[in-house]
Amino acid sequence: MKICMIGVGYVGLVSGACFADLGNTVYCVDKDKEKIDMLNKGKIPIYEPGLNEIVNKNYLSKRLKFTTDLATAIKSSDIIFICVGTPTSKKNKSANLQYVFKAANDIARHINKFKIIVTKSTVPISTGDKIEKIIFKKRKKRLFEVVSNPEFLREGEAIRDFRFPDRIVVGSNNKKVTRKLESLYDPLIKKGAVFFVTNRRGAEMIKYASNAFLATKISYINEIANLCEKTGVNIEDISIAMGLDKRIGSRFLRAGPAYGGSCFPKDTKAITVTGDLFKTDLSIIKSVIKSNTERKILLIKRIEKILSNNIKNKKIAILGVTFKPNTDDMRESSSLLIIPFLERKGAIVNYYDPSGKKKEFSKLSKVFFCKDIYETCKNSDLIIIHTEWDEFKTIDFKKLSKNRKFKIYDMRNLYSPKKMKKMGFSYYSVGR
Ligand code: UGA
C-alpha cells in the first residue's frame, strides 16, 4: 500500500519506518526541512533503540521516503496518517489541536482521489468529527473517510510495541475502510494482535482511557509504597502478589518516582478537560494528577530527610535523568524538579545519563554532566539512582566507595536492601 505520514515526530517516524518494513511505500512528510535533510542523510533525530537500522534498511530499499513535499505525498498515497503533536494547550490544559487542524486543511487542499485519513496523534474525543467538517468544506464526502487509529507505542520500546501490539484499535463505521486497514495490519494480526473495531469516538476514548488507567495504576502503587515505608512492609512483595491476580496484572505496578514523559501527564490533563466539557467529573483521574504532582515534592522531602536537612555543600550524584530508560526524553521527568532544588539548596550535583548531557541543566552553575558512573559518583555524599538504565543495575559500589562513607537513594528499587545493608551501605529505596 502507499502511505503518507504527516509529521515525522516520534509516532510518525517509528510507525512510518515500521509500515515500510512491512512492505509498504511510505512518504514521511514534515515541514521542518532541517529534520527531513537529516533523515535523508541517514541521521535519526530521536533516540530509539533499533530505529536506525529499520529506517536505513527501508530508505535504501526506497520504500521509505522523507520529504517536505506534502502535495505529492498526499496525491501518491491511499492512506494518510496524521501524526503531528498535540501538546498541552497553554489556555486550558486540553490538547492543542492547531497542528492537527492544519494537517486536515492541507489534506483537503491536495485530495485528488479517495483517501483514508487516519488520526494517529492522541486527540480528544470528537476531534475526528471536526477533521471531517474541515475537509468536507473543501471536498465531497465520497472522496474521503476519517478514521481513528490510536498508537500505543512506549518510548524506548516503540519498535517492539509496533511489531507485537496487544491490540490494534480502529474507529470507523465504514466496513470497506476498516477492511483496508485490517489488510494493512494483517502481518501483525497474523502474529496474534487483536484487531478491534469500534466507532471513531470510541477509538479516541480508548487511547485516553488506557493512558489514564496506566497512570492511575502507577500512582496507586506509589501511594501504597508510601504506606509501606511507614509500616515496614516491602512494596515489591505487594506488587508481585497483587500482580498474580489476573484481574489486576503485574505490569505498571512498579513503584518509583512520579510518572513522567510526554504522554501520561498530558493525556490525564486533557481527558479531565474533556470530562468537564461533557459535564462529567473524572474525579479519579483528577486525584491521580494531584497525587503524581505531590509525589515529586515527596521525593525531595525524602532526600532532605536522608541528608538530615543538611544539603549545603553536599556532593550529590544523580544516575539517570530522563523520565525512563532507553530514551533521551526529559519531558516531565522528576529530575527537572529534583536537580534545580538541590542546586538551590547549595549542593554540588554531578549527573550522568547514557543519553547524554541535558540542556535543561546547562544554566545551573553547580550542576555538572559527567562521562560515566564512576566519575559521577566519585567523592559523593549521596548517590541517587533516578532512572533504571541497564548499566545502573550492576554497579560495583565497593569499588566506588574506596572506604568513603556515602548514602544511596535508589528510586527504582534496583538493588536488594538486605544485600546493600550486609555490604555496609546506607541504602534507601522506595516503599521498603
Ligand atoms: C505511554 C504508554 O505506555 C504507551 O502505551 C502510549 O502509547 C504512550 O504513553 C503514548 O501515549 O504515546 P511512554 O510515555 O513512552 O508510553 O512511557 P511508559 O513506559 O508508559 O512510562 C511512563 C512513566 O511511567 C515513566 O515515567 C515510567 O518510569 C513510569 N512507570 C511505568 C512507573 O513508574 N512504573 C511502572 O510500573 C511503569
Side-chain angles (χ1 to χ4, degrees), residues 10-11 122 151-157 161 167 207 211 214 218 221-222 250-264 266-267 323-325 332 388 412:
Y10 198 84
V11 173
T122 301
E151 55 83 19
F152 301 103
L153 310 175
R154 284 165 301 167
E155 286 186 23
E157 305 191 52
D161 284 350
R167 79 301 205 193
K207 167 70 190 199
N211 270 6
L214 292 169
I218 297 167
I221 205 68
N222 282 341
S250 60
R251 298 173 73 189
F252 281 67
L253 267 190
R254 258 183 304 110
Y259 64 72
S262 65
C263 305
F264 289 171
K266 165 175 82 74
D267 296 347
F323 82 98
K324 62 183 269 187
E332 304 278 342
E388 72 275 35
R412 300 286 181 168

Side-chain angles (χ1 to χ4, degrees), residues 129-158:
D129 308 355
K130 291 176 187 150
I131 295 173
E132 192 172 283
K133 258 190 203 151
I134 290 172
I135 303 176
F136 189 53
K137 272 189 196 152
K138 294 192 177 130
R139 298 287 154 179
K140 294 206 169 67
K141 182 72 192 80
R142 64 180 162 75
L143 274 179
F144 70 96
E145 188 69 34
V146 178
V147 175
S148 167
N149 170 220
E151 55 83 19
F152 301 103
L153 310 175
R154 284 165 301 167
E155 286 186 23
E157 305 191 52

Side-chain angles (χ1 to χ4, degrees), residues 36 62 96-97 131 220 227 243 281-282 295 395 401 409 421:
I36 293 297
K62 297 200 166 43
N96 176 348
L97 293 174
I131 295 173
Y220 179 86
L227 185 59
D281 183 18
L282 298 174
R295 181 149 197 84
I395 299 173
S401 74
Y409 181 15
K421 203 174 162 198

Side-chain angles (χ1 to χ4, degrees), residues 6-58:
I6 302 183
V8 189
Y10 198 84
V11 173
L13 183 56
V14 171
S15 309
C18 290
F19 278 134
D21 207 44
L22 294 179
N24 303 288
T25 300
V26 182
Y27 296 84
C28 289
V29 193
D30 205 293
K31 63 179 184 332
D32 184 343
K33 189 175 176 304
E34 217 175 292
K35 194 192 266 184
I36 293 297
D37 288 347
M38 200 175 158
L39 283 158
N40 277 319
K41 284 183 195 141
K43 290 192 191 123
I44 309 293
I46 56 169
Y47 183 106
E48 181 63 35
L51 184 59
N52 205 357
E53 291 80 352
I54 297 186
V55 167
N56 288 335
K57 177 180 141 202
N58 288 284

Side-chain angles (χ1 to χ4, degrees), residues 47 154-157 218 222 236 252-260 318-327 329 333-335 352-355 373 384-395 409-415 427 430:
Y47 183 106
R154 284 165 301 167
E155 286 186 23
E157 305 191 52
I218 297 167
N222 282 341
E236 303 294 310
F252 281 67
L253 267 190
R254 258 183 304 110
Y259 64 72
I318 315 266
L319 297 177
V321 291
T322 50
F323 82 98
K324 62 183 269 187
N326 300 321
T327 175
D329 201 335
S333 175
S334 309
S335 70
Y352 165 64
D353 191 281
S355 70
I373 298 171
I384 298 175
I385 303 175
H386 174 270
T387 315
E388 72 275 35
W389 288 88
D390 277 346
E391 61 185 278
F392 302 151
K393 293 177 182 167
T394 50
I395 299 173
Y409 181 15
D410 177 2
M411 290 185 180
R412 300 286 181 168
N413 290 353
L414 300 185
Y415 292 87
Y427 174 81
V430 178

